[in-house]
Amino acid sequence: MHGQDFADDPHGVYDRMRAAGPAAPVELVPGVDATLVTDYQAARTVLQNTTDFSRDPRRWKALNEGRIALDNPVLPMMAYRPNCLFTDGAVHLRLRKAVTDSLDQLNINRIRRDVEPIAAFLIDQFSERGRADLLNDYAKLLPLLLFNRLFGCPAGIGDRLTSAMSAIFEGKDALKANEELTACLMELITLKRREPGEDVTSWLIQHPAGLNDEELKDQLVMLMGAGVEPERNLIGSALLLLLSSGSSARDAGMLTEEALDHVLWNNPPIANYATHYPVHDVDLGGVHVEANTPLMISFGAANNDPALREARQSLSRGAHLAWGAGPHACPAKSPATVIALTAIEAILNALPDLALEVPAEQLRWRPGPFHRALAALPVRFTPTPGTRVAALHAPTGASHPAAEQPRAHVPAPRQETRPARKGFWSTFLDVFRV
């Protein structure tokens, strides 16, 4: 599951796996074996069964026996952290309640308002060129900047946090990046204990669950990991669908909501994850799975189970497993959907003649066992002035802050705002005087 062949045609691989039954043995990366669940009903059974299956990676037999090196590239995604993704029972309930209660304080309208200026800022960076890579110039950066805002990051911490998260997902010296991520989050937690604000970090700190600093740090790592990479992939894949010949909004009338739903059913951003560890040997529809070995759910395969082809016509839109199921289902479904929807509509409205630079079939998908992710999404469009930020700053009346202190658009010359000199987050804050 780690090669380019799998990235190019995952559904072909899933189809071949189904010959082995509802689950099949796989190699995640060289030397790391697992069992992958490809059957929809079997996947739902595992996700909802907390008696026979644990989410705690400390059960992982091969890792405990030293057969997996501590620098193995899958460990940042699979190794134990004291967060609600990798815990069971009462511990899981306590941590998850802190997370869900904090996320519930996010106002959906606020999220839209937060996405719009970030989208405008990023589009201004490339709109005059007439060409862009919507993955790396837009879909990748928008969630990173948004999370800095939602977590209440000041400029210095936010710049370092953005760089560290990018490096972890890109596999660039992941161990060093993880150390930097940890340092940034501990600084943020210390700051927010001293100076709380209206942000997720402060709400987690203030929650009655009384999370300690280590628990706080790892809930934030989970939220960022679950929100940044999947969000990028969701935005990118939906834009690809909307811009592809024969299925574009202009040609077929497809709505953004329909494109997002199509991606979640057919190419979910996190395609294979939710690792479980059987607490004893189990028989999964005739497939023997040894105790304390990784049993991973293939959301991509399960959603496309041939047994669902007829049933999918009558299933509700949310019947797919892209958000998980059971006690560990994603708690951020609504915010994640709103972020993607707002980001996609912002760029389609700003650049209405967006078109793919190359045919869709020539685009490359990033290899890796966990995600379904484009490597790049090159597009072309009619060049337009980078003045969207200025438009957002335009005064609307004497009581508007902009009326008291007029603000210009992105400072010129553009070289002054390149991330080589300042990080994207501090540049954004400078532009918006936040």
Side-chain angles (χ1 to χ4, degrees):
M1 293 175 63
H2 49 83
Q4 190 62 51
D5 288 347
F6 175 70
D8 291 341
D9 183 22
H11 290 293
V13 176
Y14 299 147
D15 287 342
R16 292 192 292 275
M17 287 182 183
R18 289 192 181 96
V26 294
E27 184 181 64
L28 301 178
V29 297
V32 178
D33 297 324
T35 302
L36 189 71
V37 181
T38 58
D39 177 87
Y40 180 86
Q41 290 300 333
R44 290 192 68 91
T45 297
V46 173
L47 288 166
Q48 295 172 339
N49 184 337
T50 59
T51 301
D52 298 318
F53 303 99
S54 168
R55 292 295 294 266
D56 192 336
R58 289 175 295 184
R59 291 179 171 272
W60 192 354
K61 183 178 178 182
L63 183 62
N64 291 336
E65 293 176 352
R67 289 185 277 129
I68 297 174
L70 295 180
D71 62 351
N72 191 287
V74 301
L75 289 188
M77 291 287 286
M78 294 180 65
Y80 173 77
R81 293 179 186 269
N83 63 34
C84 56
L85 188 64
F86 296 130
T87 50
D88 302 311
V91 175
H92 168 255
L93 290 174
R94 170 177 164 266
L95 296 175
R96 183 176 173 92
K97 182 163 178 57
V99 169
T100 55
D101 287 351
S102 298
L103 292 177
D104 284 346
Q105 294 193 60
L106 287 172
N107 182 283
I108 293 298
N109 290 326
R110 173 192 165 175
I111 291 175
R112 289 193 184 95
R113 292 196 303 269
D114 286 344
V115 171
E116 288 167 355
I118 294 171
F121 171 75
L122 293 174
I123 296 168
D124 272 358
Q125 309 306 301
F126 55 75
S127 64
E128 293 178 359
R129 300 200 306 257
R131 280 179 166 76
D133 173 1
L134 293 190
L135 251 295
N136 295 298
D137 294 339
Y138 188 68
K140 169 186 171 182
L141 294 170
L142 188 145
L144 285 166
L145 298 182
L146 177 64
F147 271 60
N148 280 346
R149 188 171 201 122
L150 298 181
F151 292 168
C153 283
I157 296 177
D159 283 343
R160 291 160 51 209
L161 203 60
T162 300
S163 297
M165 286 298 295
S166 294
I168 287 174
F169 282 121
E170 292 168 9
K172 295 179 179 177
D173 201 352
L175 288 177
K176 181 179 179 181
N178 190 57
E179 291 175 0
E180 176 68 358
L181 175 67
T182 297
C184 289
L185 291 176
M186 295 308 288
E187 288 179 34
L188 179 62
I189 290 165
T190 299
L191 173 66
K192 290 299 176 179
R193 283 196 185 278
R194 186 173 66 248
E195 301 174 14
E198 291 298 308
D199 53 71
V200 174
T201 309
S202 299
W203 296 330
L204 281 169
I205 290 171
Q206 296 162 357
H207 194 272
L211 275 58
N212 61 39
D213 285 0
E214 188 71 11
E215 291 172 329
L216 287 165
K217 182 257 294 180
D218 282 300
Q219 307 323 301
L220 293 174
V221 169
M222 177 199 67
L223 288 169
M224 283 194 161
V228 172
E229 174 75 3
E231 197 73 44
R232 161 170 114 167
N233 298 340
L234 180 58
I235 294 169
S237 293
L239 281 169
L240 170 60
L241 182 63
L242 289 165
L243 298 176
S244 295
S245 176
S247 64
S248 72
R250 293 182 299 274
D251 294 340
M254 177 176 283
L255 300 175
T256 304
E257 293 91 336
E258 293 172 329
L260 291 172
D261 194 52
H262 187 279
V263 170
L264 291 168
W265 266 108
N266 296 289
N267 282 301
I270 294 297
N272 306 291
Y273 201 44
T275 309
H276 292 68
Y277 299 85
V279 300
H280 51 77
D281 289 6
V282 297
D283 181 280
L284 197 64
V287 177
H288 177 78
V289 186
E290 186 180 346
N292 300 321
T293 61
L295 179 66
M296 186 170 289
I297 304 299
S298 178
F299 304 114
N303 285 350
N304 290 274
D305 184 341
L308 283 182
R309 282 176 184 160
E310 291 185 12
R312 276 178 61 164
Q313 303 301 316
S314 58
L315 287 171
S316 69
R317 290 176 59 185
H320 59 71
L321 297 178
W323 303 111
H328 286 85
C330 177
K333 174 182 174 180
S334 294
T337 303
V338 169
I339 292 165
L341 185 66
T342 308
I344 292 168
E345 292 184 339
I347 195 160
L348 292 178
N349 290 333
L351 306 171
D353 63 345
L354 270 177
L356 293 178
E357 186 76 56
V358 299
E361 58 270 16
Q362 293 182 19
L363 294 173
R364 191 172 69 85
W365 296 86
R366 290 162 49 208
F370 306 115
H371 56 223
R372 180 61 172 159
L374 285 165
L377 186 58
V379 295
R380 64 180 185 277
F381 49 86
T382 301
T384 60
T387 57
R388 292 162 192 82
V389 170
L392 287 173
H393 286 323
T396 58
S399 63
H400 194 283
E404 301 168 16
Q405 184 179 356
R407 297 162 180 158
H409 59 79
V410 178
R414 287 188 177 276
Q415 286 78 1
E416 293 180 13
T417 61
R418 285 179 181 170
R421 295 189 60 181
K422 297 186 77 171
F424 261 105
W425 182 236
S426 58
T427 302
F428 173 81
L429 294 182
D430 282 349
V431 170
F432 281 85
R433 307 290 196 273
V434 178

